């Protein structure tokens, strides 16, 4: 079973190639079905292998495909352990649902096949990242994911905003990649290999705590880029310029989790560096808080969800920081389900509103779009953390793990609770403004329920959103047990007593319900409440972070580039090039005088040269 | 005073030098061509003379080959001169200076 | 002694023919000079026991090639007698120096390298009859002989091509 794992990467790649070259000929709906088919096939291929991991019939295994750079221990090999199996299931499973959804959503777009080609490319890149058995191959996947993300964000590149957003995402991600790359260099310098198993088995012996701290901090820079953490989170809200399925697939469910996944994969190294752990936890918490504060005031439905994603990623990173890897990955999984659901639901709403994304012009969509309403309701409750939806279990686990660390981590726990309150509040705001209350849409807009290809993924995701949390409750720890295989070198944090767990869960639940009630009371009225005041204005501007970056980094950068282009290039580089050119031409002009066109001049040259040669030979040979 | 092979070689050198001089001072393509033939003949003379000196028949064979090549060269060369003359009514090589740089 | 006289006479004829060839203003006189030089060289070949080569020299050079030259001279007309006109001033001087330098250096080189000055015509018994030359030509040098056959064929084709395509308009030749 593990021998065919390479198909999981190859199938989407084939789909991508087919759509790239023959998509136009295949035609509009069919191209989408082809793309969906290849991703679904990849999922089917991975399914039996996953089951054999669950029932323990195969151990953690590595499938060697071929030798790539043997000298650095970087073969093309696939590591099949619970962590990668889980990610594979998420990426191909949710990915295929989103492909299905896109078949309807992207209908009528001029570059329909191209879209599906990029989507398949993304799935393939993500699978390379997830399944790689060494850091070198992981980096390849990491970069490919960045590339496909760029292609998809700026898919509607005729819109300047979309093109700019694509560039922004790419550049910000490059900053993160820099950290990752340097980390890889240090890893290679220390271990002499990139192979995961070798590194993790030997890490405590080979490297010191200082080296581990350096490596993990740099890895975290990479993770912060991909997983949108402070200070590199700014690209994600802008990435909403891409088509909504892209936002769902990449910027909610899968790609942004790559950073979290990478930290979880490198858990052994992070365990060795408590300083990094603390920094990671603080950064995660602050990201969660800041993003939640921004999310409460956004009026664009996708922007709310984007900031909410950043906020939830903050939770996951916090979990990584406190060493609760299972909890973080669990939240990653549940979040993938409900955030994909919310994005797809939002896409359904936008579709119904003929492209309008402003929640202030929505309202009262409940009657018009019952399926979207119900499924998004599940997503709302899950993200808010209401019992027994999936978000409740996973978020609670992270908070409990933070609390269990004790000391100043209690402060992080308090902030986490505050974020939970804000989350419940802004999700209620979104839900109420969109679906409840009186219709506020303009004349001429006729909202309608979306076609089946769009609603079926919503329903499936909705079912998972409701139920998936139950696989890892304090009573039933199946998920944690499943993931043990991936964290065999990691020391486990000491657990809390059952009473403490229930107590913490109750507090979290009370906070969530408080947030919902607060939001409900504020927004469930006939008139939308005014959102005035200093806080609201600042929050709506996302606290001016983009402007700050613009002033401090982008502008000086542009100035430097302009100087390089207008002064350095023109004067120095062009000067050198022109100098070489005119020098050669001048030399050629001198030589051209010798070319008289007179045959006898040439013949004379030959004769003189002949005489001179004979004389030289005689002189050398001693003939005189 | 007996004739030795070196006499012939010196004579060949003289003929060759005269041929070179002819190529250099004449402007008529035909005469230049004749000078080249003279140079070839001078070389042939050295071949035959050395063949005699060393007692090897190969020198004479080489002379025959040179003659064949010279004959081929003459046919082509004269054909070229004739076509050039048709084109510009002159066999003066100084007027054929299109390749001047 | 008779050999010496014969050599001196025919060497003088060859040199005189060569000099008159490069100095005559009329190309026909030049051709006559060359013809004389070639006959003289043919006699020298006989002196060197190269009978067959001497015969070929007369038939091919003095016969065919020189006839061809004269024919072409008649075809394109005798050029204006300004054969030396508009010379570069120092050209004749330079030419003289080059030619003398060449002659001197060749003789020097030959003397230094291998001209032994030994007894006349070596010791070997060499007789360049048609049979002796043919044995060598169609034995050891067969491949080279065939190559010269190819060369002559190609030369003939080239000449035909040059004569045949002369009227093609320029633009078609470019295309």
């Amino acid at each position: 079973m593990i021998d065919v794992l390479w198909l999981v990467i190859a199938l989407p790649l084939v789909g991508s190639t087919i759509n790239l070259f023959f998509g136009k000929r295949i035609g509009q709906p069919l191209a989408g079905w082809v793309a969906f088919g290849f991703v679904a096939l990849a999922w089917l291929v991975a399914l039996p292998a996953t089951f054999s991991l669950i029932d323990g019939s195969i151990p953690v295994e590595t499938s060697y495909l071929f030798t790539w750079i043997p000298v650095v221990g970087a073969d093309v090999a696939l590591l099949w352990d619970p962590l990668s199996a889980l990610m594979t299931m998420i990426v191909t499973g949710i990915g295929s649902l989103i492909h299905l959804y896109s078949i309807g959503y992207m209908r009528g777009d001029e570059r329909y096949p191209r879209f599906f080609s990029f989507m398949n490319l993304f799935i393939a890149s993500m699978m390379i990242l997830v399944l790689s058995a060494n850091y070198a191959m992981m980096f390849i996947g990491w970069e490919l994911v960045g590339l496909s993300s760029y292609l998809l964000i700026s898919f509607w590149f005729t819109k300047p905003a979309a093109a700019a957003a694509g560039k922004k995402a790419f550049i910000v991600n490059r900053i993160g990649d820099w950290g990752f790359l340097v980390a890889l260099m240090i890893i290679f310098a220390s271990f002499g290999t990139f192979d995961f198993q070798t590194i993790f088995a030997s890490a405590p012996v080979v490297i010191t705590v200082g080296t581990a701290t350096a490596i993990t901090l740099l890895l975290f820079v990479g993770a912060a880029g991909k997983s949108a953490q402070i200070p590199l989170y700014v690209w994600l809200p802008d990435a909403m310029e891409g088509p909504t399925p892209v936002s769902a697939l990449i910027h909610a469910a899968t790609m942004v989790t790559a950073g979290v996944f990478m930290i979880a994969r490198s858990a052994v190294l992070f365990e060795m560096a408590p300083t990094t752990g603390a920094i990671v936890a603080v950064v995660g918490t602050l990201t969660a808080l800041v993003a939640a504060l921004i999310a409460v005031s956004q009026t664009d439905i996708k922007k709310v969800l984007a900031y909410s994603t950043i906020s939830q990623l903050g939770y996951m990173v916090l979990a990584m920081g406190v060493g609760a890897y299972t909890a973080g990955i669990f939240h990653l999984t549940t979040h993938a389900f409900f955030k994909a659901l919310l994005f797809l639901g939002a896409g359904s709403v936008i579709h119904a509103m003929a492209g309008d994304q402003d929640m202030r012009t929505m309202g009262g969509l409940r009657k018009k779009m019952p399926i979207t309403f119900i499924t998004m309701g599940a997503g709302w409750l899950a993200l808010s953390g209401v019992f027994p939806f999936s978000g409740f279990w996973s978020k609670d686990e992270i908070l409990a793990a933070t609390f269990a660390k004790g000391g100043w981590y209690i402060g992080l726990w308090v902030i986490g609770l505050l974020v939970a309150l804000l989350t419940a509040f802004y999700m209620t705001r979104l839900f109420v403004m969109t679906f409840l209350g009186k219709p506020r849409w303009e004349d001429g807009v006729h909202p309608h329920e979306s076609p089946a290809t769009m609603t079926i993924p919503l329903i499936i995701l909705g079912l998972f959103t409701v139920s998936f949390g139950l696989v890892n409750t304090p009573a039933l720890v199946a998920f944690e047990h499943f993931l043990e295989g991936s964290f065999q070198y990691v020391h486990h944090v000491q657990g809390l007593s059952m009473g403490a767990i229930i107590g913490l869960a109750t507090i979290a639940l009370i906070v969530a319900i408080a947030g919902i009630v607060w939001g409900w009371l504020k927004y469930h009225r006939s008139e939308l409440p005014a959102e005035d005041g200093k806080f609201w204005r600042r929050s709506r501007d996302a606290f001016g972070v983009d402007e700050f970056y613009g002033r401090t980094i982008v502008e000086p950068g542009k100035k430097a580039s302009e100087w390089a282009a207008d002064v350095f290039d023109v004067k120095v580089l062009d000067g050198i090039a022109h100098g070489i050119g005119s020098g050669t031409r001048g030399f050629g002009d001198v030589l051209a005088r010798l070319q008289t066109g007179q045959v006898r001049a040439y013949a004379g040259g030959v004769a003189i040269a002949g005489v001179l040669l004979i004389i030289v030979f005689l002189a050398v040979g001693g003939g005189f | 005073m007996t004739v030795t092979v070196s006499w012939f070689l010196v004579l060949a050198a003289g003929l060759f030098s005269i041929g070179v001089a002819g190529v250099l001072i004449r402007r008529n393509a035909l005469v230049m061509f004749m000078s080249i033939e003279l140079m070839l003949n001078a070389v042939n003379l050295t071949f035959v003379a050395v063949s005699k000196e060393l007692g090897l028949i190969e020198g004479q064979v080489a002379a025959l080959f040179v003659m064949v090549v010279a004959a081929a060269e003459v046919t082509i060369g004269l054909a070229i001169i004739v076509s050039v003359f048709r084109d510009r009514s002159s066999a003066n090589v100084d007027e054929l200076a299109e390749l001047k740089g | 002694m008779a050999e010496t006289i014969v050599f001196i006479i025919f060497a003088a004829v060859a040199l005189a023919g060569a000099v008159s060839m490069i100095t005559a203003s009329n190309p026909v006189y030049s051709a006559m000079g060359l013809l004389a030089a070639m006959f003289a060289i043919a006699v020298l070949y006989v002196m060197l026991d190269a009978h067959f080569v001497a015969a070929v020299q007369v038939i091919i050079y003095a016969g065919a090639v020189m006839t061809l030259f004269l024919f072409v001279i008649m075809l394109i007309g005798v050029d204006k007698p300004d054969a030396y006109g508009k010379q570069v001033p120092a050209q004749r001087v330079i030419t003289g120096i080059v030619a003398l330098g060449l002659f001197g250096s060749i003789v020097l080189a030959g003397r230094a390298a291998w001209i032994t000055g030994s007894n006349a015509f070596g010791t070997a018994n060499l007789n360049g009859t048609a049979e002796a030359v043919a044995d060598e030509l169609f034995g050891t040098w067969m491949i080279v002989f065939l190559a010269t056959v190819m060369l002559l064929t190609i030369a003939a084709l080239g000449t035909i091509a040059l004569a045949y395509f002369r009227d093609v308009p320029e633009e078609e030749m470019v295309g």
Side-chain angles (χ1 to χ4, degrees):
Chain A
M1 253 172 295
I2 188 149
D3 301 330
V4 295
L5 265 183
W6 59 274
L7 279 174
V8 179
I9 296 171
L11 282 171
L13 217 50
V14 170
S16 173
T17 316
I18 289 178
N19 262 333
L20 190 63
F21 289 110
F22 309 110
K24 277 249 164 66
R25 216 165 294 168
I26 293 172
Q28 275 260 343
L30 202 58
W33 283 107
V34 168
F36 164 73
F38 277 105
V39 180
L41 263 178
W43 179 73
L44 280 176
V45 167
L47 197 58
T50 311
F51 276 126
S52 20
L53 269 184
I54 290 174
D55 63 24
S57 61
I58 60 167
V60 172
E61 250 184 87
T62 310
S63 153
Y64 281 97
L65 296 184
F66 54 87
T67 307
W68 179 31
I69 318 175
V71 76
V72 300
D75 296 317
V76 175
L78 307 180
L79 177 63
W80 189 246
D81 72 341
L83 185 59
S84 55
L86 178 72
M87 289 299 289
T88 306
M89 284 292 108
I90 295 174
V91 173
T92 55
I94 296 182
S96 53
L97 288 179
I98 291 168
H99 273 77
L100 183 64
Y101 175 92
S102 310
I103 292 170
Y105 188 86
M106 294 303 288
R107 193 84 191 262
D109 195 283
E110 254 179 62
R111 296 165 69 237
Y112 189 84
R114 191 56 56 90
F115 176 81
F116 282 101
S117 175
F118 291 164
M119 290 283 271
N120 276 354
L121 175 67
F122 169 77
I123 300 279
S125 326
M126 196 70 195
M127 291 330 297
I128 294 175
L129 196 168
V130 165
L131 289 175
S132 56
N134 55 62
Y135 276 112
M137 195 177 151
M138 188 188 208
F139 187 71
I140 301 282
W142 186 271
E143 292 295 319
L144 279 174
V145 162
L147 167 72
S148 31
S149 157
Y150 165 77
L151 289 172
L152 284 166
I153 292 171
S154 50
F155 181 71
W156 286 321
F157 55 79
T158 45
K159 270 201 306 186
K167 271 190 285 187
K168 187 171 177 183
F170 201 71
I171 291 167
V172 173
N173 266 302
R174 294 302 312 170
I175 298 171
D177 295 345
W178 161 81
F180 193 8
L181 200 56
V182 177
L184 291 193
M185 293 174 192
I186 302 178
I187 286 175
F188 186 69
S190 316
F191 291 94
T193 179
F194 283 129
D195 188 62
F196 284 149
Q197 303 286 15
T198 321
I199 291 174
F200 298 152
S202 62
V205 188
V206 175
I207 54 172
T208 61
V209 173
T211 317
T213 309
I215 292 174
T216 48
L217 272 178
L218 286 162
L219 283 178
F220 181 60
V221 171
K226 271 282 183 288
S227 284
Q229 296 299 298
I230 289 175
L232 299 177
Y233 70 90
V234 288
W235 65 271
L236 207 151
D238 287 23
M240 295 302 126
E241 288 295 338
T244 304
V246 171
S247 312
L249 175 62
I250 296 185
H251 310 115
T254 54
M255 174 185 135
V256 288
T257 62
V260 179
F261 166 78
M262 188 257 274
I263 298 179
R265 182 55 96 203
S266 321
V268 178
L269 302 176
F270 278 83
E271 275 300 300
M272 286 183 65
T275 321
T276 314
I279 293 171
V280 170
V282 170
V283 168
T285 314
L286 285 181
T287 308
L289 180 65
V290 170
L293 284 174
I294 297 172
V296 293
S297 68
Q298 299 299 313
T299 53
D300 183 328
I301 185 167
K302 282 177 72 180
K303 280 274 165 74
V304 177
L305 292 175
Y307 280 108
S308 141
T309 304
I310 299 174
S311 178
Q312 299 303 311
L313 286 167
Y315 270 128
M316 296 173 210
V317 170
L318 165 65
M320 298 294 134
V322 298
Y325 300 105
T326 327
I329 295 295
F330 185 40
H331 193 54
L332 185 158
T333 314
T334 58
H335 174 260
F337 285 125
F338 63 67
K339 192 49 71 66
L341 167 67
L342 284 169
F343 262 112
L344 294 185
S348 179
V349 169
I350 294 165
H351 199 61
M353 299 296 294
D356 191 2
Q357 306 192 358
D358 194 337
M359 293 192 297
R360 284 170 300 190
T361 63
M362 294 176 184
L365 285 171
R366 175 168 59 102
K367 292 253 173 54
K368 298 283 184 187
M369 320 177 65
I371 299 174
T372 308
F373 167 72
I374 292 169
T375 50
M376 268 192 92
W380 159 52
L381 293 174
L383 179 50
S384 303
V386 172
F387 179 85
F389 293 91
S390 56
F392 165 76
W393 302 106
S394 54
K395 195 188 292 184
D396 180 58
E397 217 173 302
I398 294 175
L399 290 174
T402 313
F403 186 82
K405 276 279 240 188
W408 56 274
Y409 283 97
I410 304 284
L412 297 184
W413 175 73
V414 172
I415 298 176
L417 276 183
L418 178 61
V419 174
L421 177 77
L422 288 169
T423 307
F425 172 74
Y426 67 67
M427 281 314 295
T428 310
R429 172 173 175 269
L430 178 144
F431 192 69
V432 171
M433 277 175 88
T434 309
F435 289 105
L436 305 179
K438 276 193 225 146
R440 292 184 300 274
W441 57 74
E442 287 158 19
D443 297 335
V445 179
H446 300 290
H448 52 86
E449 186 56 277
S450 303
T453 51
M454 288 168 70
T455 50
I456 288 171
L458 286 178
I459 294 167
I460 297 173
L461 286 171
L463 290 176
F464 272 103
T465 300
V466 173
S467 60
F468 193 75
L470 299 175
V471 304
N472 202 35
T473 63
L476 173 82
V477 286
F479 191 82
E480 204 165 322
H481 182 68
F482 171 62
L483 277 179
E484 264 169 11
S486 289
F487 300 114
Q488 48 184 327
Y489 299 115
V490 179
H491 311 289
H492 280 279
V493 279
Q494 74 279 26
L496 294 163
S497 70
M498 198 50 136
I501 290 173
I502 293 175
L504 289 170
T506 315
I507 295 173
L509 186 59
I510 289 170
V511 166
I513 289 175
I516 290 175
V517 171
W518 178 24
W520 188 276
L521 291 178
K522 189 166 163 75
Y523 289 98
H524 195 56
R525 301 179 187 174
S526 48
E527 289 282 311
L528 279 184
E531 292 173 334
D532 266 345
K534 194 160 185 249
F535 167 75
W536 288 101
R537 279 200 307 276
R538 301 278 311 199
S539 166
R540 204 161 292 148
D541 295 344
F543 300 113
V545 171
D546 270 337
E547 286 74 17
F548 175 71
Y549 283 172
R551 274 201 314 277
T552 54
I553 297 166
V554 180
E555 280 307 318
K558 275 188 180 162
K559 290 251 166 62
S561 310
E562 271 165 23
W563 178 82
D566 295 345
V567 181
F568 186 73
D569 184 50
V570 171
K571 297 265 165 66
V572 180
L573 293 182
D574 287 3
I576 291 171
H578 289 157
I580 290 170
S582 54
T584 311
R585 185 178 302 163
F587 189 53
D589 285 344
V590 172
L591 284 186
R593 302 235 176 92
L594 292 177
Q595 181 93 359
T596 56
Q598 301 287 330
V599 180
R600 291 184 300 166
Y602 305 155
V606 172
I608 291 170
V611 173
L612 290 179
L613 267 179
I614 292 173
I615 289 171
V616 167
F617 289 154
L618 283 175
V620 172
F624 287 115
Chain B
M1 210 162 65
T2 10
V3 178
T4 63
V5 169
S6 37
W7 293 33
F8 290 91
L9 294 173
V10 171
L11 173 65
L15 291 173
F16 189 86
S17 301
I18 293 169
V20 169
V23 170
L24 292 185
I25 57 170
R26 295 305 294 254
R27 306 166 67 207
N28 189 315
L30 273 167
V31 179
M32 286 174 75
F33 218 162
M34 290 177 203
S35 306
I36 291 171
E37 292 300 321
L38 182 66
M39 286 152 75
L40 285 167
N41 268 283
V43 172
N44 266 353
L45 186 58
T46 60
F47 267 126
V48 174
V50 174
S51 151
K52 176 77 179 167
E53 161 86 9
L54 300 178
L56 289 173
I57 200 83
E58 272 92 345
Q60 299 184 12
V61 175
L64 283 174
F65 283 134
V66 171
M67 284 182 191
V68 172
V69 172
E73 182 216 334
V74 164
T75 40
I76 292 288
L78 288 178
I80 290 173
I81 289 172
V82 169
S83 2
V84 168
F85 182 79
R86 277 185 185 138
D87 203 35
R88 35 177 81 223
S89 308
S90 164
N92 187 335
V93 291
D94 283 0
E95 292 169 18
L96 303 172
E98 271 85 8
L99 284 178
K100 184 169 166 42
Chain C
M1 198 62 210
E3 275 180 344
T4 314
I5 294 167
V6 171
F7 177 82
I8 288 171
I9 291 171
F10 285 97
V13 170
L15 287 172
V19 170
S20 75
M21 180 196 82
I22 66 166
T23 50
S25 58
N26 190 328
V28 179
Y29 295 159
S30 294
M32 290 305 149
L34 183 57
L35 191 58
M38 281 172 172
F39 270 119
I41 289 171
V43 173
L44 295 180
Y45 285 162
V46 176
M47 283 183 71
L48 290 165
D49 283 341
H51 310 294
F52 181 66
V53 177
V56 171
Q57 168 87 357
V58 173
I59 295 168
I60 300 219
Y61 266 121
V65 171
M66 287 322 297
T67 312
L68 200 55
F69 265 108
L70 288 170
F71 193 73
V72 171
I73 291 169
M74 285 193 290
L75 188 70
I76 68 180
V78 176
D79 220 355
K80 287 170 221 143
D82 61 342
Y84 310 112
K86 289 185 259 171
Q87 300 275 5
V88 178
Q91 188 171 356
R92 300 180 83 171
V93 179
I94 292 171
T95 303
I97 291 169
V98 169
L100 280 176
L102 195 60
F103 176 73
S105 53
I106 289 173
V107 170
L108 258 180
R111 187 189 63 104
W114 56 265
I115 296 180
T116 57
S118 65
N119 195 16
F121 307 135
T123 49
N125 185 15
L126 186 71
N127 197 359
T129 59
E131 191 187 351
V133 174
D135 269 350
E136 193 71 13
L137 196 59
F138 298 114
T140 317
W141 304 99
M142 189 64 198
I143 303 283
V144 184
F145 177 77
L146 291 177
T148 59
V149 171
M150 294 279 291
L151 180 72
L152 282 172
T153 315
I154 292 166
L157 283 175
T159 313
I160 292 167
L162 278 169
Y164 187 77
F165 296 112
R166 64 188 172 92
D167 285 327
V168 177
E170 255 184 29
E171 53 269 26
E172 278 181 41
M173 285 179 74
V174 170

